Amino acid sequence: MEFPNAKKTNIVHSLPTEIIIEILSRVGAASAPDLFACRLTCKAINKMSHDEKIYKKISFEHLYMHSLRNDENKSKFFDLCLQYKNPEALLRYGMVQYFTYVLLDEGLKTIDLAHAKGNVFATYLLGLLLICNVDEERKKRGVSLLLSVFHQHPIDEVVQLRGTLRDMMVSLWLNNNIVCESDELVKCDQGHLHAYDNIVDKWDYFAWRPDDLKNLCDAYLCNREAAFFLRLLH
Protein backbone atom coordinates (compact mmCIF):
# COMPACT_ATOMS: atom_id res chain seq x y z
CA MET A 1 0.00 0.00 0.00
CA GLU A 2 1.34 3.45 -0.95
CA PHE A 3 0.82 6.36 1.42
CA PRO A 4 -0.33 9.67 -0.16
CA ASN A 5 2.67 11.63 1.09
CA ALA A 6 5.28 9.05 0.14
CA LYS A 7 6.10 10.57 -3.27
CA LYS A 8 6.18 14.09 -1.87
CA THR A 9 8.58 13.03 0.86
CA ASN A 10 10.87 11.28 -1.66
CA ILE A 11 10.97 14.40 -3.84
CA VAL A 12 11.80 16.58 -0.84
CA HIS A 13 14.67 14.34 0.24
CA SER A 14 16.04 14.15 -3.32
CA LEU A 15 16.55 17.91 -3.62
CA PRO A 16 19.29 19.92 -1.87
CA THR A 17 18.03 21.76 1.18
CA GLU A 18 19.26 25.10 -0.23
CA ILE A 19 17.08 24.74 -3.32
CA ILE A 20 13.97 23.91 -1.30
CA ILE A 21 14.59 26.87 1.00
CA GLU A 22 15.02 29.14 -2.02
CA ILE A 23 11.74 27.87 -3.47
CA LEU A 24 9.96 28.39 -0.15
CA SER A 25 11.41 31.89 0.21
CA ARG A 26 9.99 32.80 -3.21
CA VAL A 27 6.63 31.35 -2.28
CA GLY A 28 6.63 33.39 0.95
CA ALA A 29 7.71 36.55 -0.89
CA ALA A 30 4.66 36.19 -3.12
CA SER A 31 2.10 35.06 -0.53
CA ALA A 32 2.38 34.26 3.18
CA PRO A 33 -0.82 32.14 3.16
CA ASP A 34 0.71 29.98 0.42
CA LEU A 35 3.79 29.46 2.57
CA PHE A 36 1.58 28.42 5.50
CA ALA A 37 -0.13 25.92 3.18
CA CYS A 38 3.28 24.49 2.18
CA ARG A 39 4.05 23.86 5.84
CA LEU A 40 1.14 21.45 6.02
CA THR A 41 2.47 19.16 3.26
CA CYS A 42 5.06 17.31 5.36
CA LYS A 43 7.32 17.64 8.39
CA ALA A 44 10.46 18.17 6.29
CA ILE A 45 8.94 21.15 4.44
CA ASN A 46 7.59 22.54 7.69
CA LYS A 47 11.04 22.40 9.28
CA MET A 48 12.80 24.05 6.34
CA SER A 49 10.15 26.78 6.11
CA HIS A 50 11.48 28.24 9.37
CA ASP A 51 14.81 29.21 7.80
CA GLU A 52 16.01 32.77 8.47
CA LYS A 53 16.14 33.55 4.74
CA ILE A 54 12.38 32.91 4.45
CA TYR A 55 11.48 35.13 7.39
CA LYS A 56 13.50 37.97 5.86
CA LYS A 57 11.68 37.86 2.52
CA ILE A 58 8.10 36.92 3.34
CA SER A 59 5.36 39.27 2.12
CA PHE A 60 2.70 40.70 4.41
CA GLU A 61 0.41 41.82 1.60
CA HIS A 62 -2.32 39.32 2.53
CA LEU A 63 -1.86 39.52 6.30
CA TYR A 64 -3.47 41.98 8.70
CA MET A 65 -2.09 43.30 11.98
CA HIS A 66 -5.24 42.49 13.95
CA SER A 67 -5.22 38.83 12.90
CA LEU A 68 -1.48 38.55 13.53
CA ARG A 69 -1.81 39.68 17.13
CA ASN A 70 -5.01 37.78 17.91
CA ASP A 71 -3.60 34.40 16.85
CA GLU A 72 -0.78 33.01 19.02
CA ASN A 73 0.95 31.13 16.19
CA LYS A 74 0.73 34.09 13.82
CA SER A 75 1.96 36.39 16.58
CA LYS A 76 5.07 34.23 17.05
CA PHE A 77 5.54 34.23 13.30
CA PHE A 78 5.38 38.03 13.19
CA ASP A 79 7.88 38.32 16.07
CA LEU A 80 10.32 36.09 14.18
CA CYS A 81 9.94 38.27 11.08
CA LEU A 82 10.78 41.30 13.23
CA GLN A 83 13.73 39.46 14.74
CA TYR A 84 15.15 38.78 11.28
CA LYS A 85 14.49 42.37 10.15
CA ASN A 86 11.85 41.62 7.52
CA PRO A 87 11.17 45.05 5.92
CA GLU A 88 7.38 44.63 5.74
CA ALA A 89 7.20 43.47 9.36
CA LEU A 90 9.34 46.43 10.43
CA LEU A 91 7.09 48.79 8.49
CA ARG A 92 3.90 47.50 10.09
CA TYR A 93 5.37 47.45 13.57
CA GLY A 94 6.66 50.99 13.10
CA MET A 95 3.19 52.14 12.09
CA VAL A 96 1.68 50.53 15.19
CA GLN A 97 4.33 52.21 17.35
CA TYR A 98 3.69 55.60 15.77
CA PHE A 99 -0.07 55.64 15.34
CA THR A 100 -1.38 53.25 18.00
CA TYR A 101 1.12 53.40 20.88
CA VAL A 102 2.12 57.03 20.11
CA LEU A 103 5.81 56.15 20.38
CA LEU A 104 6.81 58.72 17.79
CA ASP A 105 10.61 58.49 17.80
CA GLU A 106 10.58 54.70 18.09
CA GLY A 107 8.04 54.43 15.28
CA LEU A 108 10.07 56.71 12.99
CA LYS A 109 13.23 54.70 13.66
CA THR A 110 11.50 51.41 12.85
CA ILE A 111 9.96 52.78 9.65
CA ASP A 112 13.35 54.26 8.75
CA LEU A 113 14.92 50.82 9.16
CA ALA A 114 12.35 49.36 6.75
CA HIS A 115 13.21 52.18 4.31
CA ALA A 116 16.93 51.39 4.64
CA LYS A 117 16.17 47.80 3.65
CA GLY A 118 14.60 48.96 0.40
CA ASN A 119 10.88 49.00 1.18
CA VAL A 120 9.40 51.65 -1.15
CA PHE A 121 6.23 52.13 0.88
CA ALA A 122 8.35 52.78 3.99
CA THR A 123 10.27 55.44 2.04
CA TYR A 124 6.97 57.03 0.97
CA LEU A 125 5.45 56.99 4.47
CA LEU A 126 8.64 58.19 6.16
CA GLY A 127 8.78 61.10 3.73
CA LEU A 128 5.20 62.08 4.59
CA LEU A 129 5.79 61.87 8.34
CA LEU A 130 8.96 63.93 8.17
CA ILE A 131 7.34 66.59 6.00
CA CYS A 132 4.76 67.10 8.74
CA ASN A 133 7.51 67.49 11.35
CA VAL A 134 8.33 70.89 12.80
CA ASP A 135 12.09 70.26 12.60
CA GLU A 136 13.43 71.82 9.38
CA GLU A 137 16.17 69.22 8.86
CA ARG A 138 13.66 66.39 9.17
CA LYS A 139 11.32 68.24 6.83
CA LYS A 140 14.09 68.59 4.22
CA ARG A 141 14.83 64.88 4.45
CA GLY A 142 11.11 64.14 4.04
CA VAL A 143 11.04 66.18 0.83
CA SER A 144 14.10 64.33 -0.47
CA LEU A 145 12.54 60.94 0.29
CA LEU A 146 9.21 61.79 -1.35
CA LEU A 147 10.85 63.21 -4.44
CA SER A 148 12.99 60.07 -4.74
CA VAL A 149 9.78 58.03 -4.85
CA PHE A 150 8.22 60.35 -7.45
CA HIS A 151 11.26 60.36 -9.73
CA GLN A 152 12.40 56.74 -9.40
CA HIS A 153 9.06 54.96 -9.76
CA PRO A 154 6.28 55.04 -12.39
CA ILE A 155 3.28 57.25 -11.63
CA ASP A 156 0.96 54.23 -11.45
CA GLU A 157 3.15 52.80 -8.68
CA VAL A 158 2.82 56.05 -6.74
CA VAL A 159 -0.95 55.80 -7.15
CA GLN A 160 -0.77 52.26 -5.74
CA LEU A 161 1.20 53.56 -2.74
CA ARG A 162 -1.63 55.98 -2.00
CA GLY A 163 -4.13 53.12 -2.07
CA THR A 164 -1.92 51.00 0.19
CA LEU A 165 -1.56 53.89 2.64
CA ARG A 166 -5.33 54.38 2.75
CA ASP A 167 -5.97 50.66 3.34
CA MET A 168 -3.30 50.33 6.03
CA MET A 169 -4.47 53.40 7.92
CA VAL A 170 -8.01 51.98 7.99
CA SER A 171 -6.68 48.73 9.51
CA LEU A 172 -4.86 50.54 12.35
CA TRP A 173 -6.22 51.55 15.73
CA LEU A 174 -5.44 55.28 15.55
CA ASN A 175 -4.54 57.00 18.81
CA ASN A 176 -2.26 59.52 17.15
CA ASN A 177 -4.06 61.41 14.41
CA ILE A 178 -2.27 64.74 14.85
CA VAL A 179 0.98 64.13 13.02
CA CYS A 180 1.24 67.61 11.54
CA GLU A 181 3.37 69.53 14.03
CA SER A 182 3.61 72.61 11.83
CA ASP A 183 0.93 74.71 10.11
CA GLU A 184 3.30 75.16 7.19
CA LEU A 185 4.27 72.07 5.23
CA VAL A 186 6.89 72.57 2.50
CA LYS A 187 8.04 76.08 1.61
CA CYS A 188 8.01 76.86 -2.08
CA ASP A 189 11.17 78.54 -3.37
CA GLN A 190 9.24 79.70 -6.44
CA GLY A 191 6.83 81.89 -4.50
CA HIS A 192 3.75 79.73 -5.07
CA LEU A 193 0.95 79.51 -2.51
CA HIS A 194 0.11 75.98 -1.41
CA ALA A 195 -2.86 75.94 0.95
CA TYR A 196 -3.42 72.21 1.29
CA ASP A 197 -7.21 72.42 1.66
CA ASN A 198 -7.42 74.00 -1.80
CA ILE A 199 -5.03 71.40 -3.20
CA VAL A 200 -7.05 68.44 -1.90
CA ASP A 201 -10.42 69.80 -2.99
CA LYS A 202 -9.30 69.98 -6.62
CA TRP A 203 -7.37 66.72 -6.83
CA ASP A 204 -8.33 63.15 -7.69
CA TYR A 205 -5.82 61.16 -5.59
CA PHE A 206 -6.06 58.05 -7.74
CA ALA A 207 -6.00 59.67 -11.18
CA TRP A 208 -3.06 58.93 -13.45
CA ARG A 209 -1.15 62.15 -14.03
CA PRO A 210 2.18 61.34 -15.69
CA ASP A 211 2.81 65.00 -16.55
CA ASP A 212 2.70 66.16 -12.93
CA LEU A 213 6.44 65.76 -12.45
CA LYS A 214 7.10 68.05 -15.40
CA ASN A 215 4.51 70.72 -14.71
CA LEU A 216 4.38 71.00 -10.90
CA CYS A 217 7.06 72.31 -8.56
CA ASP A 218 8.57 70.07 -5.87
CA ALA A 219 6.82 71.92 -3.05
CA TYR A 220 3.41 71.46 -4.66
CA LEU A 221 4.00 67.74 -5.23
CA CYS A 222 5.05 67.22 -1.60
CA ASN A 223 2.30 69.40 -0.13
CA ARG A 224 -0.34 67.67 -2.21
CA GLU A 225 0.83 64.24 -1.07
CA ALA A 226 0.95 65.38 2.55
CA ALA A 227 -2.56 66.84 2.21
CA PHE A 228 -3.86 63.47 1.04
CA PHE A 229 -2.19 61.80 4.03
CA LEU A 230 -3.61 64.31 6.54
CA ARG A 231 -7.13 63.80 5.19
CA LEU A 232 -6.80 60.06 5.94
CA LEU A 233 -6.30 60.83 9.61
CA HIS A 234 -9.54 62.76 10.10
Side-chain angles (χ1 to χ4, degrees):
M1 179 179 177
E2 184 179 40
F3 291 96
N5 287 333
K7 290 183 178 180
K8 295 178 186 177
T9 304
N10 289 335
I11 292 173
V12 168
H13 289 301
S14 68
L15 291 174
T17 300
E18 294 79 8
I19 292 179
I20 297 175
I21 290 174
E22 176 63 26
I23 292 171
L24 290 173
S25 70
R26 294 189 182 193
V27 171
S31 170
D34 287 346
L35 177 67
F36 296 152
C38 288
R39 288 180 170 181
L40 301 176
T41 57
C42 69
K43 291 182 179 179
I45 290 289
N46 183 42
K47 183 177 180 180
M48 284 184 278
S49 72
H50 291 278
D51 188 86
E52 176 181 340
K53 181 178 182 180
I54 296 171
Y55 283 110
K56 286 182 176 179
K57 292 186 175 181
I58 197 161
S59 170
F60 280 70
E61 183 178 355
H62 303 292
L63 298 176
Y64 301 93
M65 287 303 302
H66 292 310
S67 64
L68 287 171
R69 286 306 181 189
N70 293 334
D71 182 298
E72 184 178 354
N73 290 328
K74 289 182 179 179
S75 180
K76 290 179 180 178
F77 164 80
F78 182 73
D79 290 339
L80 282 169
C81 290
L82 280 178
Q83 178 184 325
Y84 292 121
K85 302 295 188 290
N86 176 290
E88 293 190 37
L90 289 168
L91 167 66
R92 281 156 177 76
Y93 186 59
M95 292 182 72
V96 170
Q97 287 177 307
Y98 195 93
F99 293 105
T100 302
Y101 298 140
V102 200
L103 301 171
L104 305 187
D105 288 338
E106 292 89 338
L108 283 176
K109 287 178 182 177
T110 307
I111 296 170
D112 201 349
L113 184 55
H115 150 67
K117 290 188 171 295
N119 186 282
V120 178
F121 181 79
T123 304
Y124 174 74
L125 176 60
L126 184 62
L128 290 172
L129 292 173
L130 293 179
I131 279 176
C132 295
N133 199 280
V134 70
D135 182 85
E136 282 301 320
E137 289 304 313
R138 285 188 168 187
K139 195 183 291 285
K140 287 179 182 178
R141 186 179 177 223
V143 170
S144 177
L145 289 172
L146 263 191
L147 291 178
S148 74
V149 173
F150 293 146
H151 292 291
Q152 295 175 19
H153 299 275
I155 189 65
D156 57 318
E157 188 172 334
V158 176
V159 171
Q160 289 176 2
L161 290 174
R162 292 173 192 145
T164 301
L165 177 62
R166 176 196 58 192
D167 295 342
M168 291 185 71
M169 296 304 294
V170 168
S171 71
L172 284 171
W173 186 275
L174 290 178
N175 288 323
N176 174 28
N177 59 3
I178 307 177
V179 300
C180 190
E181 302 174 1
S182 171
D183 292 334
E184 187 174 32
L185 294 173
V186 180
K187 295 179 181 178
C188 180
D189 57 9
Q190 298 182 37
H192 300 153
L193 297 176
H194 300 304
Y196 73 78
D197 281 332
N198 293 334
I199 291 174
V200 172
D201 290 340
K202 299 177 182 178
W203 181 44
D204 180 355
Y205 320 126
F206 302 105
W208 290 37
R209 299 186 184 279
D211 294 330
D212 280 0
L213 295 181
K214 299 177 182 178
N215 300 329
L216 301 178
C217 68
D218 291 346
Y220 190 95
L221 286 170
C222 291
N223 285 335
R224 187 178 68 172
E225 214 68 32
F228 166 65
F229 173 51
L230 294 174
R231 280 290 179 94
L232 294 177
L233 299 173
H234 299 287

